[in-house]
Amino acid sequence: MKLGIVTGIPGVGKTTILNTIKEILSRENSKFLIMNYGDYMLKTAIEMKYVNNRDEMRKLPLSIQRQLQLEAAKSIYKDASSLGEGLSFLDTHAVVRTLGGYLPGLPKHIIEILQPQVIFLIESDPEIIIKRQENDKSRARTDYSDPQVIRETMDFARYSAMASAVLVGASVKVVRNVEGDPSIAAIQIIKSMT
Ligand SMILES: Nc1ncnc2c1ncn2[C@@H]1O[C@H](COP(=O)(O)OP(=O)(O)O)[C@@H](O)[C@H]1O
């Protein structure tokens, strides 16, 4: 099993880069799987009849959200394992900025289930991230509209990713999403996994 965890601040271009990875690997006829942590949590939440949609999930008691997070990790590992030698990518966050402080996205009991090879941190200059957010009105990302806040969150994402990596012997790779060409980051990510 080869699993890469792809993380980055909202608006940095994670979805765009993962879509580019999908295009490249499909063209090469390679076996791959791209998973989104939130989708797995939502699937379990609906199956267990806790919620009907994504927005209800954030309002669930924290104990239930933790249970969903754990169930999702088990399913993700299972799906990645069943792919054999193919590449698996998991779209999630190294850190989540909350009112109570920075929350690690990959705590010990979760990263130990996932067993990734690499944790990727997608980064761009804060000013560029803000510009991308402004150009993309389809999403609400106003939590991250101040360059200072973005810079601090990116620093904590690095600390958090390395702390998680230490627990399972994964590597941490910073990948720049270059303005105008997301395929540079996509190719770098694929190369780091093979
Ligand atoms: N390398 C890039 N150059 C220019 N624009 C980009 C680049 N990567 C992403 N974008 C644009 O930035 C916006 C946010 O990208 P998205 O992939 O949705 O971010 P995320 O999934 O990290 O929140 C989108 O409008 C996207 O088209």
Side-chain angles (χ1 to χ4, degrees):
M1 182 193 90
K2 276 187 182 167
L3 174 67
I5 300 186
V6 180
T7 71
I9 197 163
V12 74
K14 215 155 40 102
T15 312
T16 308
I17 291 169
L18 284 168
N19 283 338
T20 311
I21 289 176
K22 197 172 171 179
E23 278 168 29
I24 295 171
L25 293 177
S26 304
R27 226 181 294 138
E28 292 174 353
N29 278 326
S30 302
K31 229 162 66 169
F32 71 95
L33 182 63
I34 294 178
M35 299 168 282
N36 177 287
Y37 211 111
D39 289 349
Y40 273 76
M41 282 179 64
L42 180 62
K43 191 168 163 274
T44 312
I46 291 172
E47 276 167 11
M48 290 181 159
K49 304 218 184 316
Y50 286 135
V51 298
N52 293 310
N53 64 56
R54 205 176 188 105
D55 289 327
E56 287 173 16
M57 232 175 18
R58 279 194 309 265
K59 295 168 196 152
L60 286 169
L62 264 186
S63 59
I64 294 182
Q65 293 197 43
R66 286 209 179 90
Q67 186 193 344
L68 295 172
Q69 185 189 26
L70 181 66
E71 291 308 319
K74 290 180 194 163
S75 306
I76 290 163
Y77 178 78
K78 202 169 128 223
D79 288 352
S81 300
S82 66
L83 206 67
E85 275 309 286
L87 301 184
S88 297
F89 300 91
L90 176 60
D91 177 346
T92 187
H93 293 280
V95 81
V96 180
R97 194 169 165 268
T98 76
L99 286 175
Y102 287 103
L103 196 69
L106 301 162
K108 183 172 184 287
H109 66 291
I110 298 295
I111 199 82
E112 284 178 350
I113 293 172
L114 295 173
Q115 296 290 331
Q117 269 67 50
V118 191
I119 303 175
F120 296 99
L121 290 156
I122 299 179
E123 295 186 356
S124 291
D125 293 336
E127 288 73 16
I128 291 181
I129 294 176
I130 291 172
K131 221 181 284 160
R132 286 181 191 152
Q133 290 173 349
E134 283 167 2
N135 291 339
D136 182 8
K137 301 279 181 224
S138 68
R139 304 266 299 275
R141 303 185 181 96
T142 44
D143 299 5
Y144 299 97
S145 52
D146 173 350
Q148 202 87 352
V149 169
I150 293 180
R151 205 161 280 127
E152 190 183 86
T153 309
M154 286 194 327
D155 284 343
F156 274 91
R158 286 185 174 195
Y159 310 147
S160 188
M162 198 66 223
S164 300
V166 164
L167 299 171
V168 293
S171 60
V172 172
K173 188 168 174 64
V174 175
V175 176
R176 281 192 71 75
N177 182 14
V178 178
E179 183 62 13
D181 193 356
S183 73
I184 297 172
I187 291 165
Q188 232 182 320
I189 290 174
I190 294 169
K191 277 210 179 120
S192 311
M193 295 271 297
T194 44

